[in-house]
Structure formats: C-alpha cells, structure tokens
Amino acid sequence: MSDIPAQIQEDIKTAMKAKDSLALNALRALKSALTNASIEKGGLGTALEESEVLSVVRKQIKQRHDSVEQFEKAGREELAATEKAEIEILPRYLPDPLGGAELIANTETAISESG
C-alpha cells in the first residue's frame, strides 16, 4: 500500500488551513478519483497498489491537459489557467523522473543481470 493517499489527505488539511481553494479542489478531485478506483477494484476501502495510485494521478494530470486544450479552443482562458495551475499541483505525487545517467545505469544493470 502506498502512502500517497495519506499524503494527499494531509495536503488537503494544509490547503484548508491556508484557504488555498485551487489546491483544495485539485486534491479533493484526486482523492475522489482514488476512492473511485478503490471501489472499482474491490469495494470501498480496498487498498490500491502503488502502481494503481500512480496511474490514477497520471490520469488526472492527463484529464487536465485535455481540459486545457478544450478550454483554449473555446476561448475560455480563465478556465484553462485554472486547469494549468492544478496540473502544477498533481505531479508532486509522482516519483521523480530518472535522469539520463540513472536511466543508462539501470539499463546496463538489467542487461548484465539478464545476460
């Protein structure tokens, strides 16, 4: 079980105290998406694997990117700006991407272990 849902809950409390409505809306939507994924997996309260949690976070980010595109096409820049701001909040729940050197090292390790 990942500790990301617990971190999201703590961040919701922090956003409430700070009266940060933008972060609060983004985090509540993410928490709701995680709850829905849990229900789909096996019922309310079913623990999600870390990979499933990360998948939900990525899906939420993608949905916001799609919304930005649609809002910009419709000339709704204020809504697009809100979505862009929410996109900035969500990646903190994803692992840091590997740098070039780390990726090469991991690839070389995997190749040497398999051969």
Side-chain angles (χ1 to χ4, degrees):
M1 167 78 180
S2 171
D3 65 340
I4 295 173
Q7 181 62 48
I8 292 168
Q9 185 61 41
E10 287 302 312
D11 290 348
I12 287 173
K13 290 177 188 175
T14 302
M16 290 172 80
K17 290 177 184 175
K19 298 186 184 339
D20 184 352
S21 62
L22 182 71
L24 189 57
N25 288 338
L27 294 172
R28 282 181 173 162
L30 179 57
K31 182 179 176 187
S32 177
L34 289 170
T35 300
N36 290 339
S38 174
I39 291 169
E40 288 174 17
K41 181 178 179 183
L44 187 60
T46 301
L48 296 174
E49 300 291 325
E50 184 170 0
S51 62
E52 294 168 319
V53 172
L54 296 177
S55 176
V56 170
V57 174
R58 286 187 189 98
K59 189 174 188 179
Q60 289 290 302
I61 293 170
K62 183 183 182 313
Q63 285 177 350
R64 282 170 177 74
H65 280 292
D66 293 344
S67 294
V68 166
E69 183 180 320
Q70 293 300 316
F71 288 141
E72 287 177 344
K73 283 182 183 176
R76 302 294 309 266
E77 294 302 322
E78 69 283 355
L79 294 175
T82 300
E83 294 292 322
K84 287 177 184 177
E86 289 184 4
I87 290 170
E88 297 297 318
I89 294 167
L90 298 176
R92 73 176 76 151
Y93 302 104
L94 295 175
D96 293 330
L98 292 178
E102 292 172 315
L103 186 59
I104 291 170
N106 287 350
T107 304
E108 289 174 349
T109 301
I111 290 170
S112 68
E113 289 177 356
S114 67

